Every structure is written in structure tokens, then in C-alpha cells.
Amino acid sequence: MAKERKTPKELSIDPTVVELLEKAQKDGVSTVFDRAAAMGSSCPYGLAGLCCRHCSMGPCRLSLKGGEPSRGVCGANADVFTSRNLARAVAAGTSAHSDHGLHLAYTLLHAAEGKLPAYEINDEKKLMNCAAEIGIGTEGKDVNQIGREVAQFAIDQYERSHADLVYVKTRVPEKRRKIWEEHNVVPHGVCAAVVDTLHRTTIGMTSDYKSMILNSMKTSLTNGWAGSMWATEISDILFGCPGPIRGEANLGVLSEDKINIIIHGHEPTLSNLLVDVAEEKEIQELAQKVGAKGINFAGICCTANEVLMRKGVSLAGNFFQQELALVTVAVEAMVVDVQCIMPVLPEVASHYHTKIISTSPKADIGGADIIHFDEEHATEIAHKILKIAIDNYKNRDAAKVQIPKNKTDLVAGFTHETINYMLGGNFRASYHPLVDAIKAGRIFGVVGIVGCNNTRLKHDQSHVDIATELIKNNVLVVQTGCSAIATAKAGLMVPEAKGKAGEGLKEICEAVGCPPVVHVGSCVDNTRILKACYEMVAHGLAEEFDELPVAGVALENMSEKALSIGNYFVASGVTVYIGTKHQVNGSPNVEKMLYHEDGDLQKIFGARFVCEPDPQKAVEHILALIKSKREALKI
Ligand code: SF4
Ligand code: MSK
């Protein structure tokens, strides 16, 4: 049965979304919100995790009420169904981030070999720091040789099955490593971990749900401590370690008189280059020739965060705004790479003049213009794409353009390095001031709010409400992904937002000149948060991650990547708040293991998942958790 239709104002707190949903309706365009309503209630079997399609004797589905059938044809019960489904999702999420990182490692290798004219090592300092941390000598070697060695080292972390992950040695406290050793979840080579999990989830393999869940924790740890972590390190080496940078957010950043190009997806490789190539005289002249005043870039999802942090490119919006960007009738081209790209974009674009240009050979979007990107011919391909967008400007129907007014200022580009330098100064870079402020209670705790949009919750509300409430309580908020875009749009990422913070946090923001809600990057950059946790431990705040007054939040969790991220934070000792439960409630055992205070995750890792879709209640819980951690630390 179709769900009751909500009004645009009930669907999103963002006025641009409300405005453009009304326009979409008039234009006969259906959006993610319409499709969610049309879908009606989700299949209860899928929701409970009681459906299995792992072999062709099935699909099998079990009784929702604990009656018969209680086993699939092969004999698998609810514990097996749910834990196996979850493990597969975590493996898929891990593969997405890790494939992204591996691709970047090859890009660094080939750039350092001189094979990619459009790419070079941009941040030598980051490269040197990276080499020093992983034990690669630099004396007597030129930058490219070091780059090659670092790249090859990273590639081995992904591709060598039993590779010891270097960041587990350099960034994980000993106590945490011991926990992982004791429970056999020390992560090793990234690609093999995904293969291993997929093998374990085939018919006739692991049927012990605890073993299955622990294995999925281990696989997610390869993501956090290698797959995504290397993606971040290498992006910084290739494109520059971000520093504080101003930008703007929301669909109001689109221009009425320039050619608007939206870059969407997750990778920085093509998007960074497009922005550079668009500066060329030839391209600028072509744009003027068609009557435009220039080229305006704006980003959606994590590609947006990548180019915002390094080039100050505006954020057009988050996951739920990708279709609505087209509804403005002001977008000449949407250039997509990988992940979080709605397959429906070409259909939405067919109502308007926008060209959807699909660039990753791994993510061909049906119905889009396919221009496969490869780094060897990067500049040539960037020219081709820009010319398509320029040429399409003549097809814009100016009379139909509706660009919402809303846009807000923001400051992004806070990495663990910047936090270090900002707090300690260039010559005494250190986390001590942050740790001292936490000990003194001026900062009550640190919470990462990350993740997506999900039609089960009102768009952006949880991100904004939770961040607002936490900073009021002197909690420093660090953010990535679509969540960062949500609070940027709400105006929480400017230094002036310190006025909304409690006295202690406000004082720190004033002294340092940072906003109370700091943007630390894209989804793979959640690893910057892991590194910040390590620095807090290394600077004496606690002995171990699970003692820190910190938490993770992703109430609008949507993708399999979010499941993997949530897992690696929990396995690292950080309790994670989500708004949509894992699809496991068909098994009380698996539920207990993931969520309960006396469940195995809590017992083993000192952290667990808490599902609380109500932002206010989630905040209360988070503050109580931080309070208890502070008390245990006697601060
Ligand atoms: Fe059914 Fe077992 Fe096959 Fe799953 S693996 S579809 S439960 S027979
Ligand atoms: S883009 S994974 S919707 S945060 Fe990283 Fe946004 Fe979630 Fe995609």
C-alpha cells in the first residue's frame, strides 16, 4: 500500500528542497520522495533480514513471528540469515571505499612514474610525513621515487592478502590492538578481506552468527584503517592537504548567467582537473562565445566535499538534492563518477536540457552520455566534457530557470593536520590544547556526525538538530559526507556560529578562529576522525579509544558504506548512533549482539550501535555517554 503523501515541508527542512519539490511536481518529475511514497511499507521480510537469495534453492523466507518456516531449505536459521546478509552489506561498503582508495594509489604510482601528464605530487610535506610514518627512507631519493615507493606500499596494503596494515601499528593504541588480537579481528590485506567475507557468506559456510558478525567487523576495520585511510592520505599527497577555505552551500550557488556544471560522486581525480582546465583561456573564451559569463562549478555528495576542501568549489547540496539540481533548469552538465549516483538521473534530465555525463567505467549510468575517464588522457577528456557543457548552454530555457535564493557561507578544510597547527601553531603543532580544553571541560566531548540522507527520516533534520544541540552543550562536532553538507547549509560552519555554542566551546572557537562544527571532508575522510582519536590518546587524554569522551552519529544512514563505517568505529571503540536499524531484527540474538548494553559488541569492543531516530533523544543519550566517559577518566 502506498504511504500517505507528505507535503514538501514535511519531507525536508531545507527551503530549497521544499521549493524545488513543488516545481518538480508541476514539471511532472518524480523524485526520491515520490518513489519512497509509492514504494509503501518496506517488505517486512527484507526489513527483518529474513529473506535469503544466496542459492537457487531459494529465495527462502522465514516466519516473521518465530513460527514455521524457521529454517531455509538448506537449514539456515534466522541468526544465519540476518548475520550473513549484514556481513555481505559490510563487505560491499568496504569494497566501495577501498576500490576508490586503490585506484588513487595507482594514480599516485603512475603520476610518480611520469606516465600521467595531468597529475603530479602536490603536497611534498604530506608525502614526506607519510613516508616517515610507514618507514620508507627518503634520504638521497627524489620526490617521485618516494612517491612511487609510497604508492607501491599502499597498493600492497590492498592487494597482498596477509599484509600487516601499517596504520594499525602506527595509529592504534596497544590496548585496542590486543582486543583485536584476542578476538581474531586484526585486519590484514584489504581486498582479501572482502573476498574472505563473501566466501564465508555463501551457502554451507559460516553458520555461527557471532563468528559472522566478528568477521564483518574485521573486514570493516580494513576499510577504516587502510582502504579509506589510504584514500585520504593519497588524495592529500596528489591534490594537496586541505586547509581552512571559504565556500558557499546550497542550490542558490547556481548561476543565472554562467554555465553551471555539477560534479557528483566521490572521486577527486577528474573533478579537480575539470576545475583547473576550466580556467584555461581557450575554455573561458568558448564560454563567452556562447553568451555565458563564465563557468560555475558546484558539487553534490562527496566529490563536492573533495573539491570544496581543496579548491573552494561551492556545495550544491547533498544526496537528496541531486535530482532537484536538474529541476532548476540551470544545469548544463552533471558530471558523475562513482557511488551515490541515482540511476534515475538521465530520466529526470530528459525533462530539461541537462546532459548527464557518466565518467567511471565502473559505474556506467544507463541513459547517460558515457565518456570514460582515464588518467592518461585526463586533460583531453576534461576538455571534451567542458565543451559539451558549454555547447549545451544554448539549450537552456532562461524563462524556465528557477534557482532558489538560499545559500550560506561556510569554512571547510579542517583535517587532523589543520586542527594540530591551528591549536598548537606551526612550530609547536600539537593536540595538547584540544586535550587540555577537554580535560578542563571547556570542550565536553567530540562527536562525529556523518552519513547520508534516508527517506525514512526528514531530510537533513537529524544532522542539523543534533549538531545544534551538541554545540550548545560544548561538544565539538566534526563532520563528513552529506551530513557536513546539511549543517553547512544550515549555517553552522562559519566562525560566527560560535554564538550558538556553549560558553566553553565558544571560547575555543574565538581563540582558534574555527567554527563549532568543523568540516573534515568526504566519506573516506572519516579516517581523519580516527586519526584525531589517536592523537587524543597519544596526547594523554585516555589510554584507549573506548575511554575517550567521543561518539559517532549517522542518523540518516543509508548506504552499505555507512554500515562499514559504523562497524569500524564500533570495533575501534566508538559507540555509533544510527536512525535506521540494520535489517536484522528477525534474529533477537543478532540484535542483542549489535545493540544491547550486555551484547557482545559492547563486551568485546567497549562500544555498540544505538538506534535512536529521534534527534532529541539521541542527543540526550550521547551527552549521558560522554558524561560517563568523563567520569571514568576523572575529568
Ligand atoms: Fe535458502 Fe539456504 Fe539457499 Fe539461502 S542459502 S536461499 S536459506 S537454501
Ligand atoms: S555521499 S555515502 S549519501 S554521505 Fe559520500 Fe552522502 Fe552517504 Fe553517499
mmCIF file of all heavy atoms in Angstrom, residues 208-238:
data_model
loop_
_atom_site.group_PDB
_atom_site.id
_atom_site.type_symbol
_atom_site.label_atom_id
_atom_site.label_comp_id
_atom_site.label_asym_id
_atom_site.label_seq_id
_atom_site.Cartn_x
_atom_site.Cartn_y
_atom_site.Cartn_z
ATOM 1 N N ASP A 208 27.684 -19.728 12.371
ATOM 2 C CA ASP A 208 27.726 -19.198 13.735
ATOM 3 C C ASP A 208 27.621 -17.675 13.614
ATOM 4 O O ASP A 208 28.522 -17.030 13.066
ATOM 5 C CB ASP A 208 29.056 -19.612 14.380
ATOM 6 C CG ASP A 208 29.194 -19.071 15.792
ATOM 7 O OD1 ASP A 208 29.002 -17.845 15.984
ATOM 8 O OD2 ASP A 208 29.500 -19.855 16.689
ATOM 9 N N TYR A 209 26.512 -17.115 14.104
ATOM 10 C CA TYR A 209 26.284 -15.686 13.850
ATOM 11 C C TYR A 209 27.344 -14.807 14.497
ATOM 12 O O TYR A 209 27.711 -13.760 13.965
ATOM 13 C CB TYR A 209 24.872 -15.274 14.297
ATOM 14 C CG TYR A 209 24.666 -15.193 15.801
ATOM 15 C CD1 TYR A 209 24.864 -14.001 16.479
ATOM 16 C CD2 TYR A 209 24.292 -16.306 16.542
ATOM 17 C CE1 TYR A 209 24.688 -13.915 17.857
ATOM 18 C CE2 TYR A 209 24.122 -16.236 17.917
ATOM 19 C CZ TYR A 209 24.322 -15.049 18.573
ATOM 20 O OH TYR A 209 24.155 -14.967 19.921
ATOM 21 N N LYS A 210 27.873 -15.246 15.637
ATOM 22 C CA LYS A 210 28.891 -14.417 16.301
ATOM 23 C C LYS A 210 30.153 -14.358 15.452
ATOM 24 O O LYS A 210 30.755 -13.302 15.274
ATOM 25 C CB LYS A 210 29.219 -14.983 17.694
ATOM 26 C CG LYS A 210 28.074 -14.840 18.666
ATOM 27 C CD LYS A 210 28.506 -15.154 20.079
ATOM 28 C CE LYS A 210 27.315 -15.005 21.016
ATOM 29 N NZ LYS A 210 27.654 -15.182 22.413
ATOM 30 N N SER A 211 30.523 -15.501 14.928
ATOM 31 C CA SER A 211 31.705 -15.555 14.072
ATOM 32 C C SER A 211 31.492 -14.679 12.831
ATOM 33 O O SER A 211 32.375 -13.951 12.396
ATOM 34 C CB SER A 211 31.947 -17.014 13.708
ATOM 35 O OG SER A 211 32.754 -17.120 12.587
ATOM 36 N N MET A 212 30.268 -14.734 12.288
ATOM 37 C CA MET A 212 29.964 -13.954 11.075
ATOM 38 C C MET A 212 30.051 -12.454 11.356
ATOM 39 O O MET A 212 30.638 -11.684 10.589
ATOM 40 C CB MET A 212 28.552 -14.307 10.592
ATOM 41 C CG MET A 212 28.167 -13.665 9.286
ATOM 42 S SD MET A 212 28.987 -14.465 7.907
ATOM 43 C CE MET A 212 27.909 -15.858 7.633
ATOM 44 N N ILE A 213 29.466 -12.036 12.463
ATOM 45 C CA ILE A 213 29.475 -10.596 12.785
ATOM 46 C C ILE A 213 30.907 -10.141 13.086
ATOM 47 O O ILE A 213 31.337 -9.073 12.624
ATOM 48 C CB ILE A 213 28.563 -10.290 14.001
ATOM 49 C CG1 ILE A 213 27.113 -10.669 13.701
ATOM 50 C CG2 ILE A 213 28.674 -8.827 14.424
ATOM 51 C CD1 ILE A 213 26.349 -9.730 12.823
ATOM 52 N N LEU A 214 31.639 -10.944 13.824
ATOM 53 C CA LEU A 214 33.022 -10.542 14.133
ATOM 54 C C LEU A 214 33.849 -10.447 12.857
ATOM 55 O O LEU A 214 34.669 -9.543 12.697
ATOM 56 C CB LEU A 214 33.667 -11.527 15.120
ATOM 57 C CG LEU A 214 33.206 -11.353 16.567
ATOM 58 C CD1 LEU A 214 33.900 -12.350 17.477
ATOM 59 C CD2 LEU A 214 33.480 -9.923 17.074
ATOM 60 N N ASN A 215 33.610 -11.386 11.942
ATOM 61 C CA ASN A 215 34.338 -11.301 10.677
ATOM 62 C C ASN A 215 33.984 -10.015 9.927
ATOM 63 O O ASN A 215 34.838 -9.379 9.307
ATOM 64 C CB ASN A 215 34.035 -12.523 9.814
ATOM 65 C CG ASN A 215 34.674 -12.389 8.443
ATOM 66 O OD1 ASN A 215 34.020 -12.002 7.484
ATOM 67 N ND2 ASN A 215 35.963 -12.660 8.346
ATOM 68 N N SER A 216 32.699 -9.614 10.011
ATOM 69 C CA SER A 216 32.325 -8.374 9.305
ATOM 70 C C SER A 216 32.964 -7.161 9.984
ATOM 71 O O SER A 216 33.290 -6.175 9.335
ATOM 72 C CB SER A 216 30.802 -8.236 9.209
ATOM 73 O OG SER A 216 30.264 -7.731 10.407
ATOM 74 N N MET A 217 33.167 -7.238 11.297
ATOM 75 C CA MET A 217 33.872 -6.146 11.985
ATOM 76 C C MET A 217 35.318 -6.079 11.475
ATOM 77 O O MET A 217 35.849 -5.012 11.198
ATOM 78 C CB MET A 217 33.886 -6.354 13.510
ATOM 79 C CG MET A 217 32.544 -6.523 14.190
ATOM 80 S SD MET A 217 31.345 -5.207 13.912
ATOM 81 C CE MET A 217 31.874 -3.947 15.036
ATOM 82 N N LYS A 218 35.913 -7.246 11.342
ATOM 83 C CA LYS A 218 37.300 -7.306 10.878
ATOM 84 C C LYS A 218 37.420 -6.719 9.461
ATOM 85 O O LYS A 218 38.322 -5.929 9.170
ATOM 86 C CB LYS A 218 37.757 -8.778 10.894
ATOM 87 C CG LYS A 218 39.155 -9.013 10.395
ATOM 88 C CD LYS A 218 39.502 -10.496 10.581
ATOM 89 C CE LYS A 218 40.839 -10.831 9.967
ATOM 90 N NZ LYS A 218 41.215 -12.222 10.218
ATOM 91 N N THR A 219 36.488 -7.106 8.604
ATOM 92 C CA THR A 219 36.526 -6.590 7.234
ATOM 93 C C THR A 219 36.360 -5.078 7.218
ATOM 94 O O THR A 219 37.045 -4.358 6.487
ATOM 95 C CB THR A 219 35.432 -7.289 6.394
ATOM 96 O OG1 THR A 219 35.775 -8.659 6.335
ATOM 97 C CG2 THR A 219 35.342 -6.734 4.997
ATOM 98 N N SER A 220 35.455 -4.584 8.064
ATOM 99 C CA SER A 220 35.258 -3.123 8.085
ATOM 100 C C SER A 220 36.511 -2.422 8.614
ATOM 101 O O SER A 220 36.817 -1.305 8.204
ATOM 102 C CB SER A 220 34.046 -2.759 8.942
ATOM 103 O OG SER A 220 34.330 -2.969 10.309
ATOM 104 N N LEU A 221 37.242 -3.092 9.499
ATOM 105 C CA LEU A 221 38.483 -2.481 10.007
ATOM 106 C C LEU A 221 39.510 -2.301 8.890
ATOM 107 O O LEU A 221 40.312 -1.362 8.916
ATOM 108 C CB LEU A 221 39.073 -3.324 11.148
ATOM 109 C CG LEU A 221 38.346 -3.199 12.496
ATOM 110 C CD1 LEU A 221 38.873 -4.233 13.488
ATOM 111 C CD2 LEU A 221 38.488 -1.797 13.075
ATOM 112 N N THR A 222 39.483 -3.180 7.891
ATOM 113 C CA THR A 222 40.405 -2.973 6.763
ATOM 114 C C THR A 222 40.024 -1.700 6.015
ATOM 115 O O THR A 222 40.872 -1.025 5.440
ATOM 116 C CB THR A 222 40.416 -4.157 5.762
ATOM 117 O OG1 THR A 222 39.154 -4.239 5.111
ATOM 118 C CG2 THR A 222 40.750 -5.473 6.423
ATOM 119 N N ASN A 223 38.726 -1.389 6.036
ATOM 120 C CA ASN A 223 38.271 -0.152 5.396
ATOM 121 C C ASN A 223 38.776 1.057 6.182
ATOM 122 O O ASN A 223 39.448 1.939 5.651
ATOM 123 C CB ASN A 223 36.732 -0.180 5.325
ATOM 124 C CG ASN A 223 36.140 1.072 4.688
ATOM 125 O OD1 ASN A 223 36.862 1.941 4.223
ATOM 126 N ND2 ASN A 223 34.821 1.152 4.665
ATOM 127 N N GLY A 224 38.469 1.065 7.477
ATOM 128 C CA GLY A 224 38.815 2.230 8.291
ATOM 129 C C GLY A 224 40.310 2.472 8.398
ATOM 130 O O GLY A 224 40.778 3.603 8.256
ATOM 131 N N TRP A 225 41.058 1.408 8.629
ATOM 132 C CA TRP A 225 42.470 1.584 8.933
ATOM 133 C C TRP A 225 43.373 1.366 7.727
ATOM 134 O O TRP A 225 44.589 1.347 7.856
ATOM 135 C CB TRP A 225 42.873 0.695 10.116
ATOM 136 C CG TRP A 225 42.162 1.149 11.365
ATOM 137 C CD1 TRP A 225 41.009 0.636 11.878
ATOM 138 C CD2 TRP A 225 42.520 2.251 12.219
ATOM 139 N NE1 TRP A 225 40.622 1.348 13.005
ATOM 140 C CE2 TRP A 225 41.544 2.344 13.240
ATOM 141 C CE3 TRP A 225 43.570 3.173 12.219
ATOM 142 C CZ2 TRP A 225 41.591 3.317 14.240
ATOM 143 C CZ3 TRP A 225 43.616 4.144 13.215
ATOM 144 C CH2 TRP A 225 42.629 4.208 14.210
ATOM 145 N N ALA A 226 42.757 1.163 6.553
ATOM 146 C CA ALA A 226 43.576 1.056 5.339
ATOM 147 C C ALA A 226 42.810 1.549 4.107
ATOM 148 O O ALA A 226 43.193 2.551 3.508
ATOM 149 C CB ALA A 226 44.058 -0.373 5.121
ATOM 150 N N GLY A 227 41.726 0.875 3.731
ATOM 151 C CA GLY A 227 41.046 1.192 2.475
ATOM 152 C C GLY A 227 40.724 2.674 2.348
ATOM 153 O O GLY A 227 41.141 3.353 1.406
ATOM 154 N N SER A 228 39.976 3.196 3.306
ATOM 155 C CA SER A 228 39.623 4.620 3.278
ATOM 156 C C SER A 228 40.788 5.491 3.725
ATOM 157 O O SER A 228 40.980 6.590 3.209
ATOM 158 C CB SER A 228 38.436 4.880 4.212
ATOM 159 O OG SER A 228 37.252 4.395 3.660
ATOM 160 N N MET A 229 41.547 4.982 4.690
ATOM 161 C CA MET A 229 42.639 5.813 5.241
ATOM 162 C C MET A 229 43.674 6.138 4.165
ATOM 163 O O MET A 229 44.147 7.266 4.049
ATOM 164 C CB MET A 229 43.284 5.082 6.419
ATOM 165 C CG MET A 229 44.088 5.993 7.315
ATOM 166 S SD MET A 229 44.460 5.201 8.885
ATOM 167 C CE MET A 229 43.208 5.834 9.977
ATOM 168 N N TRP A 230 43.971 5.135 3.342
ATOM 169 C CA TRP A 230 44.907 5.402 2.248
ATOM 170 C C TRP A 230 44.285 6.323 1.206
ATOM 171 O O TRP A 230 44.981 7.117 0.576
ATOM 172 C CB TRP A 230 45.390 4.090 1.624
ATOM 173 C CG TRP A 230 46.547 3.503 2.376
ATOM 174 C CD1 TRP A 230 46.538 2.415 3.196
ATOM 175 C CD2 TRP A 230 47.889 4.016 2.414
ATOM 176 N NE1 TRP A 230 47.778 2.209 3.742
ATOM 177 C CE2 TRP A 230 48.639 3.178 3.271
ATOM 178 C CE3 TRP A 230 48.541 5.096 1.812
ATOM 179 C CZ2 TRP A 230 49.992 3.390 3.535
ATOM 180 C CZ3 TRP A 230 49.881 5.295 2.079
ATOM 181 C CH2 TRP A 230 50.601 4.463 2.926
ATOM 182 N N ALA A 231 43.001 6.221 0.989
ATOM 183 C CA ALA A 231 42.341 7.129 0.033
ATOM 184 C C ALA A 231 42.562 8.571 0.470
ATOM 185 O O ALA A 231 42.871 9.460 -0.337
ATOM 186 C CB ALA A 231 40.845 6.820 -0.052
ATOM 187 N N THR A 232 42.418 8.814 1.767
ATOM 188 C CA THR A 232 42.619 10.161 2.286
ATOM 189 C C THR A 232 44.074 10.597 2.147
ATOM 190 O O THR A 232 44.370 11.685 1.645
ATOM 191 C CB THR A 232 42.204 10.199 3.782
ATOM 192 O OG1 THR A 232 40.808 9.908 3.858
ATOM 193 C CG2 THR A 232 42.482 11.541 4.403
ATOM 194 N N GLU A 233 44.989 9.719 2.573
ATOM 195 C CA GLU A 233 46.416 10.085 2.534
ATOM 196 C C GLU A 233 46.840 10.407 1.097
ATOM 197 O O GLU A 233 47.522 11.406 0.849
ATOM 198 C CB GLU A 233 47.273 8.914 3.067
ATOM 199 C CG GLU A 233 47.023 8.547 4.519
ATOM 200 C CD GLU A 233 47.386 9.650 5.504
ATOM 201 O OE1 GLU A 233 48.508 10.170 5.419
ATOM 202 O OE2 GLU A 233 46.543 9.988 6.355
ATOM 203 N N ILE A 234 46.440 9.546 0.178
ATOM 204 C CA ILE A 234 46.913 9.725 -1.204
ATOM 205 C C ILE A 234 46.239 10.922 -1.868
ATOM 206 O O ILE A 234 46.865 11.662 -2.629
ATOM 207 C CB ILE A 234 46.727 8.420 -2.011
ATOM 208 C CG1 ILE A 234 47.673 7.368 -1.413
ATOM 209 C CG2 ILE A 234 47.038 8.630 -3.480
ATOM 210 C CD1 ILE A 234 47.497 5.980 -1.943
ATOM 211 N N SER A 235 44.966 11.157 -1.541
ATOM 212 C CA SER A 235 44.315 12.359 -2.091
ATOM 213 C C SER A 235 45.066 13.599 -1.637
ATOM 214 O O SER A 235 45.270 14.543 -2.409
ATOM 215 C CB SER A 235 42.864 12.456 -1.619
ATOM 216 O OG SER A 235 42.132 11.387 -2.135
ATOM 217 N N ASP A 236 45.478 13.612 -0.381
ATOM 218 C CA ASP A 236 46.226 14.774 0.125
ATOM 219 C C ASP A 236 47.568 14.919 -0.596
ATOM 220 O O ASP A 236 47.983 16.027 -0.937
ATOM 221 C CB ASP A 236 46.470 14.637 1.639
ATOM 222 C CG ASP A 236 45.202 14.868 2.462
ATOM 223 O OD1 ASP A 236 44.173 15.253 1.879
ATOM 224 O OD2 ASP A 236 45.245 14.660 3.687
ATOM 225 N N ILE A 237 48.236 13.788 -0.818
ATOM 226 C CA ILE A 237 49.546 13.847 -1.494
ATOM 227 C C ILE A 237 49.375 14.348 -2.928
ATOM 228 O O ILE A 237 50.103 15.211 -3.398
ATOM 229 C CB ILE A 237 50.220 12.450 -1.479
ATOM 230 C CG1 ILE A 237 50.625 12.073 -0.045
ATOM 231 C CG2 ILE A 237 51.422 12.418 -2.414
ATOM 232 C CD1 ILE A 237 51.055 10.612 0.134
ATOM 233 N N LEU A 238 48.364 13.831 -3.599
ATOM 234 C CA LEU A 238 48.189 14.182 -5.013
ATOM 235 C C LEU A 238 47.572 15.568 -5.212
ATOM 236 O O LEU A 238 47.953 16.302 -6.120
ATOM 237 C CB LEU A 238 47.275 13.155 -5.689
ATOM 238 C CG LEU A 238 47.908 11.881 -6.231
ATOM 239 C CD1 LEU A 238 46.821 10.933 -6.709
ATOM 240 C CD2 LEU A 238 48.881 12.187 -7.386
#
